[in-house]
Amino acid sequence: MEVKINIHTIQYNEYGERNDIKVKATGTLYEKRDNTYVVYKEKEDGKETTTSIKIENDKVTIKRFGEINSTMAFKADQTINSNYATPQGMFIVETKTTNLNIKNEKNIIIDIDYNIEIIDMFKGRNKIKINIYQ
């Protein structure tokens, strides 16, 4: 099923500086083994990235394929390490999810609040709001 996806990410670095990122896309939603998946493509600087969002009862996994390859998983009160591959090399990203709220009804609304650390490079806090609708 074709869906519209609005994603608003607010990033705070360790100095309290704020960065807002908004993405609007059209994608495909499907169900598989009691999980919901949403897949969409976005272009930036002429390079295409495919993003897959897996929605479980208590966990959200976001995978990106393209110039940057990453898998980030979010589960409330859990710290999860993942790899983040860029043209500059591989980084280990640690995410500690402080809040995860999934409302999977006619529209799907996901709120994720997490602390992020790219080992030895960056510390911050991100808030992501994902709205998926027809």
Side-chain angles (χ1 to χ4, degrees), residues 68-83:
I68 292 174
N69 292 296
S70 67
T71 300
M72 295 177 79
F74 305 97
K75 190 168 180 173
D77 300 319
Q78 287 204 356
T79 300
I80 300 173
N81 287 343
S82 58
N83 292 329

Side-chain angles (χ1 to χ4, degrees), residues 52-73:
S52 166
I53 304 171
K54 178 182 178 184
I55 304 159
E56 300 174 67
N57 285 334
D58 62 349
K59 184 178 179 182
V60 173
T61 305
I62 300 173
K63 292 185 178 188
R64 295 176 59 98
F65 310 93
E67 183 82 0
I68 292 174
N69 292 296
S70 67
T71 300
M72 295 177 79

